[in-house]
Amino acid sequence: MKTFAVSMRARSAASSAATTQAEAAAATPEPPVGQDEQAGKQLCYAVFDVLFVDGQSLLATPLEQRCEVLLQIVDPVPHLIEVVPYSPARTYEDVARALDEAVLNREEGIMLKDLDSAYGPGERKDRWLKLKPEYVNGLGDDLDLVIIGGYYGEGRRRGGTISHFMLGVPLEQPEAGGGSSRTVVFESIAKVGSGYSDEQLKVLQLLLAPRWRLLGPRERVPPCLALAEGGERPDVWIDPRESCVLQIKAAQVVPTTKYHAGITL
């Protein structure tokens, strides 16, 4: 049976980038908006692969050998620069055990990598597989959330189109002027930009395109929505009554000041 390497994925790790010496990711939570979320946090450079050393490309070198080279050239400093740990996995039980450990450590998930695989820039195919708790039945909760805003995407495939969405949940509030009457607004709770195929995204774009309204940086938030002050603000918004619902699978809920609900996924 083929042996795979399992590497842990830090929660909300920043996108990785190839360098002249190593490929790395900043293993730190998503950049916060509020000062309270910045307090006491240390940026850590988490190195998980090496692509180029001493003038020699290692792109075609098997992963197992690249891991050995990585341990030779990086001198870890706790909480400043660390090498992402790998562990061998040959059976389903090995993978399940690693995923359980990631859940207990509040990490994003694990990566399964073929030890014989070369490095293909921008490619994973079937030799690198991402596994997160929400991908596994029974390890996440399904939430029905309403699209209340959108963000313009970047890159060749999604540039210039609405490809990320702000999601909201209903919140009852007393109507202005007092009295017993209450009104419902939708407060922001999360932002999603993956988990759907390009075809599914096209369907959403066609459905919602006529209903988007621009939300400039100085424009007042429409009364049907509630956004966190100084927090996430979409490029466009939509009346929840004209929107649609997405089913989101979430592994955990965490506190935040970026969304009006005070929590996010």
Side-chain angles (χ1 to χ4, degrees):
M1 181 178 292
K2 200 168 188 62
T3 301
F4 286 79
V6 178
S7 66
M8 300 299 180
R9 292 178 59 83
R11 167 62 58 179
S12 300
S15 299
S16 59
T19 69
T20 55
Q21 184 174 18
E23 179 173 60
T28 182
E30 184 177 323
V33 175
Q35 291 295 324
D36 292 343
E37 293 188 7
Q38 294 180 341
K41 293 186 177 178
Q42 170 67 52
L43 195 67
C44 179
Y45 194 64
V47 189
F48 62 86
D49 209 337
V50 56
L51 309 180
F52 194 84
V53 175
D54 295 333
Q56 181 179 358
S57 171
L58 301 183
L59 290 176
T61 303
L63 173 64
E64 188 169 17
Q65 295 180 32
R66 299 202 308 274
C67 290
E68 294 173 357
V69 173
L70 186 61
L71 293 175
Q72 295 172 6
I73 64 173
V74 176
D75 187 13
V77 178
H79 309 302
L80 289 178
I81 178 169
E82 300 180 355
V83 177
V84 176
Y86 283 84
S87 59
R90 295 178 59 88
T91 66
Y92 170 85
E93 288 73 18
D94 292 338
V95 175
R97 190 180 305 112
L99 184 59
D100 287 342
E101 182 180 346
V103 172
L104 289 175
N105 292 335
R106 299 179 66 84
E107 292 166 330
E108 184 182 356
I110 60 177
M111 285 288 296
L112 300 177
K113 301 180 180 180
D114 187 342
L115 286 172
D116 296 328
S117 64
Y119 186 93
E123 297 181 1
R124 285 180 180 168
K125 297 184 177 178
D126 57 350
R127 293 197 163 195
W128 284 28
L129 302 175
K130 181 192 298 185
L131 185 60
K132 301 168 67 174
E134 51 264 43
Y135 296 172
V136 182
N137 290 333
L139 288 183
D141 293 320
D142 291 331
L143 305 176
D144 292 333
L145 305 177
V146 178
I147 295 177
I148 61 173
Y151 302 81
Y152 288 104
E154 299 178 353
R156 289 181 299 175
R157 289 193 304 144
R158 297 184 174 182
T161 63
I162 302 297
S163 60
H164 292 60
F165 303 102
M166 174 177 279
L167 306 176
V169 292
L171 171 68
E172 281 195 355
Q173 291 183 335
E175 287 189 353
S180 59
S181 298
R182 303 182 69 83
T183 185
V184 175
V185 300
F186 281 75
E187 60 177 348
S188 60
I189 190 172
K191 176 182 178 181
V192 63
S194 61
Y196 36 76
S197 67
D198 287 344
E199 289 302 317
Q200 291 172 325
L201 177 59
K202 288 179 182 177
V203 172
L204 283 172
Q205 289 173 333
L206 289 173
L207 176 66
L208 302 177
R211 307 169 188 175
W212 290 125
R213 300 171 175 85
L214 289 175
L215 183 61
R218 297 184 179 180
E219 290 187 40
R220 295 185 60 181
V221 177
C224 59
L225 304 181
L227 306 182
E229 184 175 353
E232 277 285 347
R233 186 181 179 93
D235 298 322
V236 294
W237 68 278
I238 187 173
D239 189 323
R241 295 170 297 181
E242 301 177 352
S243 188
C244 59
V245 175
L246 296 184
Q247 186 177 75
I248 306 297
K249 183 177 285 291
Q252 62 177 324
V253 174
V254 294
T256 183
T257 60
K258 296 174 65 175
Y259 299 99
H260 192 272
I263 56 174
T264 192
L265 313 178

